[in-house]
Amino acid sequence: MLATALRSGLKKRDMALPKLEKPRGLLHFRDAGSMPGVWRYWPSDDLAPFVEHYWTVEWDVPEPQLRETLPHPSIQLVLEPGREELSGIHTRKFSRLIEGKSRVFGVKFLPGGFRAFISKPVSTLSERVWDLPDVLGPSSRGLSRRALAHSDHQDTIHILEQFLRTFTPQADEAMFLVRRVAERVAMDRTITHVEHIVDTYAIGKRRLQRLFDEYVGVTPKWMIQRFRLIEAANQMHNTDNVDWAAIALDLGYSDQAHFIRDFKKIIGQSPADYHATLSAIPIAHTVDPSTSRKNDDAH
């Protein structure tokens, strides 16, 4: 991989570093951190205020497989052979049937980070998948062809970052505030109500809602509930004995019935039924991205 990057004019210090943290929100995987064919990379420093990471999934499967993830409060730029799209935030789980041999490459923007690339509220993009040129203009036409012409991840990321830099995105205080709130909500499981954010950041509830409409695309309440459900799913992946009442209380639900209702609404199964399906799912083996990449001639 390093040799390919150097041939394409990249310096070693410019290479995107692999992101080794376990992904959250992948459904039907006992160990989401060892999902084969999946890689993630950190962005360059100048794009780090806007981009959470780059990701790619590659597959060669003899039979179709269903992949599902819980929705995150993030805009996603997604490239596939012959397709270039921008996915607004969806409030339902994402389902995708993969078959044959192919790959997809994406940019996951930080909550609030995509606002710097467009001139309208991010909420106008929600619940839809857009053709990329309809959102980012004619310069994005053909981005999939240019970026996916390379099998090496570093070359693809280099092209994506060059494209993103043409928008000269500028961060502002409101964007950083939204990002701090999102990070806190994601990591602090004691935040279970919007009032907790209002008190923590000394911000009015209406102003907070306006900021989320402008920069994120969903409400603060939705973000809190989604991260808490992601936490619940993660707990189920890591244990065989689950105290449902304790989980519901821990995640801020007034009773177990409300927790079950929200979980089933998003995932399509009750927590108990979903947990029962996990026991039959094998743990995948970790793939080292430094040793598994094809060379350019193999693509």
Side-chain angles (χ1 to χ4, degrees):
M1 184 186 294
L2 177 58
T4 304
L6 292 176
R7 286 198 305 272
S8 65
L10 294 172
K11 297 179 181 179
K12 184 177 181 180
R13 61 181 172 83
D14 294 326
M15 291 185 69
L17 297 176
K19 184 177 182 179
L20 302 179
E21 299 174 3
K22 288 187 177 183
R24 305 176 72 201
L26 294 177
L27 298 176
H28 308 295
F29 274 86
R30 293 284 283 181
D31 182 3
S34 61
M35 184 175 175
V38 176
W39 294 272
R40 301 187 303 167
Y41 298 90
W42 296 104
S44 296
D45 289 346
D46 62 317
L47 291 170
F50 315 100
V51 174
E52 182 171 340
H53 59 248
Y54 307 104
W55 57 269
T56 183
V57 182
E58 302 174 4
W59 64 88
D60 186 357
V61 295
E63 297 180 357
Q65 297 180 7
L66 182 65
R67 299 285 175 86
E68 296 185 314
T69 61
L70 285 171
H72 284 69
S74 301
I75 301 294
Q76 305 260 3
L77 188 160
V78 183
L79 305 178
E80 295 187 59
R83 297 172 62 184
E84 47 214 13
E85 298 174 334
L86 189 102
S87 179
I89 297 176
H90 289 68
T91 55
R92 300 279 182 173
K93 69 179 178 181
F94 173 78
S95 299
R96 167 69 185 270
L97 190 69
I98 65 171
E99 50 191 333
K101 180 179 181 180
S102 191
R103 63 173 175 150
V104 58
F105 217 103
V107 182
K108 181 180 181 181
F109 291 88
L110 286 161
F114 190 69
R115 180 62 180 85
F117 294 84
I118 57 175
S119 58
K120 57 185 178 181
V122 176
S123 60
T124 60
L125 305 175
S126 297
E127 302 287 6
R128 281 191 59 183
V129 176
W130 302 77
D131 288 336
L132 194 58
D134 290 343
V135 180
L136 294 182
S139 66
S140 63
R141 188 167 287 111
L143 181 62
S144 176
R145 174 182 50 78
R146 299 193 302 272
L148 298 183
H150 307 277
S151 63
D152 190 283
H153 296 170
Q154 298 293 338
D155 295 339
T156 299
I157 291 171
H158 181 59
I159 290 171
L160 285 172
E161 294 205 324
Q162 284 184 320
F163 170 73
L164 294 176
R165 289 183 180 115
T166 64
F167 293 88
T168 59
Q170 301 295 317
D172 57 31
E173 283 302 315
M175 190 197 81
F176 282 125
L177 174 59
V178 166
R179 177 179 171 180
R180 290 196 301 271
V181 170
E183 289 175 345
R184 181 69 179 270
V185 172
M187 302 305 297
D188 187 349
R189 57 198 297 180
T190 67
I191 295 181
T192 55
H193 297 89
V194 175
E195 288 71 18
H196 295 159
I197 300 176
V198 170
D199 294 341
T200 299
Y201 293 93
I203 183 174
K205 190 173 182 178
R206 288 188 177 181
R207 182 182 173 226
L208 180 65
Q209 291 171 336
R210 288 195 299 269
L211 282 175
F212 267 62
D213 181 81
E214 181 80 18
Y215 284 82
V216 184
V218 291
T219 66
K221 180 180 179 180
W222 183 92
M223 177 185 282
I224 292 171
Q225 289 179 335
R226 202 57 68 247
F227 276 128
R228 298 293 74 86
L229 284 179
I230 289 172
E231 177 67 25
N234 188 60
Q235 289 184 42
M236 293 179 204
H237 292 175
N238 294 321
T239 182
D240 292 325
N241 299 309
V242 181
D243 185 335
W244 303 113
I247 284 183
L249 182 63
D250 192 33
L251 300 180
Y253 285 90
S254 57
D255 56 59
Q256 188 174 337
H258 283 83
F259 165 62
I260 294 174
R261 180 199 63 195
D262 284 354
F263 192 95
K264 190 172 183 178
K265 181 179 179 181
I266 298 300
I267 294 181
Q269 295 176 287
S270 70
D273 288 343
Y274 175 71
H275 185 255
T277 65
L278 293 176
S279 61
I281 297 174
I283 297 178
H285 298 290
T286 301
V287 178
D288 183 350
S290 67
T291 61
S292 63
R293 298 299 306 126
K294 311 175 185 69
N295 60 38
D296 284 338
D297 296 332
H299 181 62

